């Protein structure tokens, strides 16, 4: 699976947060969807809505029934993400991709454990206060602490902090 | 005006509601070619309108787009679709921005004063409805502002409080004896009614005509004596008449002709003692005294406070005491340290002026840290000023377990980058000496630091100060993400690891 969409999503989310947008969108693909759900579980974004090229109505972000995906409309499907702000500051501020298409970075369980404790392991620097690391494993995209609970390593996607 | 206009009209007809809930406006709205994109967005809720809309690129944000962006595809111009010819514009203007009908005008006249009607008409006259069609933009997207207001109501939160009373008279003062007497007579005159008594006569009424316009002090002695004698006789007679009439008067109507107890109470409590004719104020507070009361300014000096126990006889800490609320003993207990001292020169046409610039930090060794910098030709003065400023600027800094910081920090001031790292208990302060002094003043015991790039003393101190002061609150961070934060060091071993 190519990693392009993830690196693009990282840059886009950081830009959208700097522009203080309330709602933004990503191309709808499985990789993006899994990353978005992991971000949502970690509390960085408020909602993930599957929709078309236009933003869903504000009152239906959580309840919107997506129209069925067909061959005609599949290219225009987007993921609409609600960004969070707290005390006038974005909850998700820095999103830095670690794996890039030119260099994929993987980490074993031991290495992830070191990183989660704040020590450097290989190409991945230790986590600081309030930072999260997202890892793509065979159990889906997980936050580093979730991956350690399940004792799985994988492809290190990005580092997110507020 | 353009925003309030449809709202004002919706008072009479439900046109606005119909416009919102009904089918989306036709693409005519975008008569100007530059707003074509907006029209295609707003009208895309109906399939027919979407079919006629020119092809545009997708909108990936909910915020309004900038017009200046170049579209990916060439737009079909509204003119080519026959949407901006004169007939269509006139038709749309008539439909969307009609003139007031006579019934509407009559209804408006019931609600507004003639002056307001004048301004309404002037406003109607000033804006050409055609301009609204050609240049205006009616938002119909779900994120438009719910803006319905004709500014006729005063909303206490948004609007300023109206000041209905004139400003207070700056020359007002307490009444003197004569003014007070006249005021009292005037007040009492309100209660004497009817043909029987009439208003009480005054002393002036008992002198011959030629003296009526002359002040009392200039009357000849015999005229004054005679006038006073007849005035006293008149007053006594009036009082006797009042006393005699009291019995049957009270039986009929006790309030007629004399002030009641409540009147007297009102006089005592509420009658103004100023000579400004009882001018009402906009505020219930009395107008303040001027800054410098004439005749008093500069006569009094601050006495030495006995609470200081003789520690501040020169009075240098009095201002600080007032600002911070600390006692002189507490101020003296604060750790103050000069960290940077620079000798600077100002080159003027008269020669070089040497002065000393000093940067000082202050801390209470328990989580508070301040920084102050001052400059003077006298080093002692500069140092004193900087110390006072540093104490004044003391702020609380966040400490983990009262010994180190919460997370790694990095701050850049000019070319100096200071990195601070939290360390375990017993690690000590393995930091450069200026940061060491800051940590000691702030009460941090475990820390390590790196200064990458420039090691300029002034900028490193400033950067370290900023870094320590602007630490994020982990609880707020967790609350922003909707998480619960627990410090595991306080959970294991019954929290006895500290």
């Amino acid at each position: 699976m190519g990693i392009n969409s993830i690196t693009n999503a990282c840059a886009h989310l950081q830009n959208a947060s700097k522009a203080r947008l309330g709602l933004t969108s990503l191309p709808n693909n499985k990789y993006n969807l899994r990353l978005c759900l992991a971000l949502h579980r970690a509390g960085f974004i408020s909602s993930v809505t599957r929709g078309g090229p236009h933003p869903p109505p504000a009152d239906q972000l959580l309840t919107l029934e997506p129209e069925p995906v067909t061959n005609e409309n599949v290219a225009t499907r987007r993921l609409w993400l609600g960004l969070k702000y707290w005390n006038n500051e974005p909850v998700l501020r820095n999103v830095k991709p670690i794996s890039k298409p030119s260099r994929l970075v993987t980490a074993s369980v031991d290495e992830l454990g070191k990183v989660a404790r704040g020590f450097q392991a290989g190409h991945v620097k230790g986590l600081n206060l309030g930072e999260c690391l997202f890892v793509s494993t065979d159990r889906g995209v997980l936050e580093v602490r979730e991956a350690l609970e399940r004792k799985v390593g994988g492809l290190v996607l990005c580092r997110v902090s507020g | 005006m353009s925003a309030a206009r449809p709202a004002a009209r919706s008072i009479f007809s439900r046109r606005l509601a119909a416009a919102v809930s009904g089918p989306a406006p036709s693409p005519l709205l975008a008569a100007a070619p530059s707003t074509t994109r907006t029209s295609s967005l707003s009208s895309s809720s109906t399939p027919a309108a979407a079919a006629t809309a020119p092809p545009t690129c997708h909108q990936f944000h909910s915020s309004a787009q900038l017009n200046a962006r170049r579209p990916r595809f060439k737009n079909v111009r509204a003119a080519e679709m026959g949407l901006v010819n004169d007939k269509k514009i006139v038709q749309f203007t008539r439909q969307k921005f009609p003139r007031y009908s006579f019934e509407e005008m009559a209804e408006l006249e019931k609600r507004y004063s003639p002056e307001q009607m004048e301004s309404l008409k002037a406003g109607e006259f000033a804006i050409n409805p055609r301009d609204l069609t050609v240049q205006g933009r009616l938002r119909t997207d779900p994120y438009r502002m719910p803006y319905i207001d004709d500014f006729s109501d005063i909303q206490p939160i948004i609007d300023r409080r109206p000041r209905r009373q004139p400003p207070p008279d700056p020359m007002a003062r307490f009444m003197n004896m004569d003014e007070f007497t006249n005021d009292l007579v005037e007040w009492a005159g309100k209660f004497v009614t009817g043909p029987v008594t009439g208003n009480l006569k005054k002393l002036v009424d008992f002198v011959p005509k030629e003296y009526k316009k002359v002040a009392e002090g200039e009357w000849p002695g015999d005229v004054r004596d005679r006038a006073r004698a007849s005035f006293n006789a008149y007053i006594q007679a009036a009082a006797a008449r009042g006393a005699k009439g009291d019995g049957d008067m009270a039986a009929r109507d006790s309030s007629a002709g004399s002030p009641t107890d409540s009147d007297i109470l009102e006089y005592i409590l509420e009658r103004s003692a100023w000579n400004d004719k009882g001018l009402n104020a906009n505020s219930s507070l009395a107008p303040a005294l001027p800054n410098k009361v004439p005749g008093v300014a500069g006569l009094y000096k601050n006495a030495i406070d006995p609470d200081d126990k003789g520690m501040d006889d020169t009075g240098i800490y009095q201002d600080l005491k007032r600002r911070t609320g600390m006692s002189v003993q507490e101020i003296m207990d604060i750790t103050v340290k000069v960290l940077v001292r620079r000798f600077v020169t100002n080159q003027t046409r008269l020669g070089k002026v040497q002065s000393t610039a000093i940067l000082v930090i202050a801390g209470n060794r328990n989580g508070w840290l301040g920084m102050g910098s001052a400059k003077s030709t006298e080093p002692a003065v500069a140092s004193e000023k900087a110390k006072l400023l540093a104490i004044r600027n003391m702020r609380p800094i966040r400490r983990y377990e009262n010994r180190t910081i919460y997370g790694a920090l990095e701050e850049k001031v000019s070319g100096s980058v200071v990195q601070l790292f939290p360390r375990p208990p017993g690690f000590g302060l393995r930091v450069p000496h200026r940061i060491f002094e800051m940590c000691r003043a702030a009460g941090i015991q475990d820390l390590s630091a790196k200064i990458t790039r420039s090691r300029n003393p002034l900028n490193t101190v400033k950067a370290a100060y900023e870094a320590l002061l602007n630490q994020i609150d982990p609880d707020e961070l967790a609350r922003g993400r909707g998480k619960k934060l627990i410090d595991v060091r306080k959970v294991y071993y019954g929290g006895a690891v500290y």
Side-chain angles (χ1 to χ4, degrees), chain B residues 256-279:
Chain B
S258 65
T260 61
D261 287 350
S262 69
D263 287 330
I264 294 170
L265 194 68
E266 191 188 338
Y267 176 82
I268 293 171
L269 294 181
E270 292 177 16
R271 187 86 171 177
S272 169
W274 294 73
N275 66 349
D276 57 0
K277 312 279 184 212
L279 191 68

Side-chain angles (χ1 to χ4, degrees), chain B residues 118-140:
Chain B
E118 277 303 309
S119 61
L120 255 171
K121 281 175 192 164
E124 285 290 319
F125 181 73
I127 293 185
N128 189 350
R130 188 193 160 89
D131 291 348
L132 286 177
T133 306
V134 176
Q135 302 166 15
R137 178 186 154 201
L138 290 178
R139 284 184 67 168
T140 52

Side-chain angles (χ1 to χ4, degrees), chain B residues 41 54 69 111 182 202 217 230 323 368 393 396 446 476 495:
Chain B
L41 279 176
R69 293 207 184 144
R111 286 174 161 260
N182 287 339
K202 296 174 187 170
S230 14
R323 284 173 185 275
W368 282 65
N393 290 338
D446 303 305
E476 288 293 307

Side-chain angles (χ1 to χ4, degrees), chain B residues 36-352:
Chain B
T36 320
R37 178 194 302 265
T38 320
S39 85
S40 75
L41 279 176
S42 57
S43 60
S44 65
S45 55
T46 55
T52 57
T56 57
C57 65
H58 294 142
Q59 184 195 8
F60 294 141
H61 301 298
S62 55
S63 7
Q65 283 191 331
L66 302 174
N67 282 335
R69 293 207 184 144
R70 189 170 295 165
R72 268 173 67 195
F73 308 107
K74 199 183 169 218
N75 285 330
V76 180
R77 291 183 178 277
E80 288 165 16
M81 296 173 71
L83 297 178
V84 287
N85 56 22
D86 238 18
K87 202 178 133 198
K88 287 271 188 186
I89 290 177
V90 170
Q91 184 193 343
F92 182 82
T93 308
R94 281 216 187 114
Q95 177 204 340
K96 210 71 190 172
F97 309 109
R99 295 196 176 283
Y100 283 123
S101 66
F102 287 113
E103 297 85 54
E104 286 175 343
M105 282 306 247
E107 190 63 32
L108 278 176
E109 270 161 17
K110 279 186 212 159
R111 286 174 161 260
Y112 295 108
S113 65
E115 294 83 12
Q116 286 171 328
M117 284 305 294
E118 277 303 309
S119 61
L120 255 171
K121 281 175 192 164
E124 285 290 319
F125 181 73
I127 293 185
N128 189 350
R130 188 193 160 89
D131 291 348
L132 286 177
T133 306
V134 176
Q135 302 166 15
R137 178 186 154 201
L138 290 178
R139 284 184 67 168
T140 52
D141 52 327
Y143 305 105
R144 70 184 179 278
M145 302 289 282
Y147 187 74
I148 300 177
D149 194 357
D150 62 352
F151 304 114
S152 60
D153 293 332
I154 290 171
Q155 299 180 21
I157 293 177
I158 302 169
D159 297 327
R160 282 201 182 153
R161 193 159 55 89
R163 293 171 181 271
R164 298 204 170 84
Q165 308 292 348
D169 179 10
M171 304 303 283
R173 54 176 170 76
F174 283 111
M175 290 187 279
N176 61 22
M177 186 57 96
D178 287 340
E179 288 164 341
F180 180 77
T181 313
N182 287 339
D183 184 60
L184 181 62
V185 169
E186 190 187 314
W187 173 78
K190 282 195 304 189
F191 300 99
V192 183
T193 51
V196 183
T197 52
N199 283 345
L200 280 179
K201 289 183 179 176
K202 296 174 187 170
L203 186 59
V204 192
D205 297 329
F206 291 91
V207 288
K209 239 180 209 165
E210 60 265 34
Y211 297 119
K212 280 202 196 286
K213 298 266 172 141
V214 184
E216 193 185 338
E218 293 170 21
W219 294 344
D222 54 333
V223 174
R224 194 189 304 150
D225 290 343
R226 248 180 289 137
R228 280 194 176 155
S230 14
F231 181 59
N232 282 340
Y234 166 75
I235 290 288
Q236 276 163 13
R241 203 164 56 233
K244 200 178 85 194
D246 252 3
D248 51 334
M249 285 282 279
R252 274 182 299 155
D253 183 9
S254 62
S255 68
S258 65
T260 61
D261 287 350
S262 69
D263 287 330
I264 294 170
L265 194 68
E266 191 188 338
Y267 176 82
I268 293 171
L269 294 181
E270 292 177 16
R271 187 86 171 177
S272 169
W274 294 73
N275 66 349
D276 57 0
K277 312 279 184 212
L279 191 68
N280 283 326
N282 283 309
S283 160
S284 60
L285 300 174
L289 286 173
N291 266 343
K292 288 182 177 167
V293 181
V296 182
L299 286 184
Y300 294 92
K301 284 184 181 163
N302 288 337
I304 295 169
D305 192 349
D307 293 345
D308 299 345
K309 297 176 187 146
M311 285 183 287
D312 186 27
D313 285 348
T314 48
I316 49 173
Y317 293 127
Q318 293 305 313
D319 184 46
L320 202 56
K321 231 174 63 172
R322 190 173 51 75
R323 284 173 185 275
T324 60
M326 291 189 285
S327 69
V328 174
Q329 182 62 56
E330 284 166 339
I331 293 175
M332 305 278 249
D333 287 343
I334 286 170
T335 307
V336 179
K337 189 87 185 170
V338 175
L339 286 194
V340 184
R341 193 190 303 268
R342 295 184 305 154
F343 301 102
V344 293
T345 311
N346 181 19
Q347 175 76 55
T348 69
R349 58 182 182 156
L350 301 175
K352 291 174 179 168

Side-chain angles (χ1 to χ4, degrees), chain A residues 20-21 25 30 35 42 49 55 77 109 114 119 134 148 161:
Chain A
R20 295 292 196 274
L21 299 181
S25 71
K30 287 183 197 168
L35 178 67
T49 312
R77 296 303 93 191
V109 184
K114 272 190 190 172
F119 300 104
F134 289 91
L148 286 174
S161 63

Side-chain angles (χ1 to χ4, degrees), chain A residues 17-146:
Chain A
S17 151
K18 277 188 178 157
R20 295 292 196 274
L21 299 181
L23 199 62
T24 186
S25 71
L26 295 176
N28 185 10
N29 55 40
K30 287 183 197 168
Y31 222 158
N32 275 352
L33 178 64
R34 284 173 191 157
L35 178 67
C36 290
L37 291 177
L39 285 170
H40 185 261
R41 278 201 303 280
F44 282 107
I45 52 181
S46 60
S47 63
V48 183
T49 312
R50 305 172 87 155
H54 299 293
D59 53 341
Q60 293 176 21
L61 283 178
L62 298 177
T63 56
L64 185 75
E65 283 289 326
E67 62 178 276
V69 181
T70 60
N71 279 342
E72 281 73 37
N73 70 6
V74 65
T76 59
R77 296 303 93 191
R78 312 277 301 175
L79 291 172
W80 289 90
L81 311 181
L83 299 180
K84 278 167 95 174
Y85 298 88
W86 181 250
N87 287 347
N88 276 337
E89 293 295 329
V91 169
L92 172 143
R93 191 197 302 264
N94 300 312
V95 189
K96 189 171 169 55
I98 293 170
S99 287
K100 302 182 287 180
S102 59
R103 186 185 72 182
L104 300 182
V105 178
T106 55
S108 64
V109 184
D110 292 343
E111 286 171 333
L112 287 184
K114 272 190 190 172
V115 170
R117 287 179 182 82
F119 300 104
Q120 180 161 358
H123 286 295
V124 190
K125 284 198 176 135
L127 291 184
N128 195 6
L129 174 69
E131 273 188 332
C132 286
L133 193 72
F134 289 91
V135 189
S136 174
T137 68
D138 51 2
R139 312 273 187 91
V141 175
L142 301 175
E143 214 267 310
V144 64
R145 290 148 190 117
E146 293 171 331

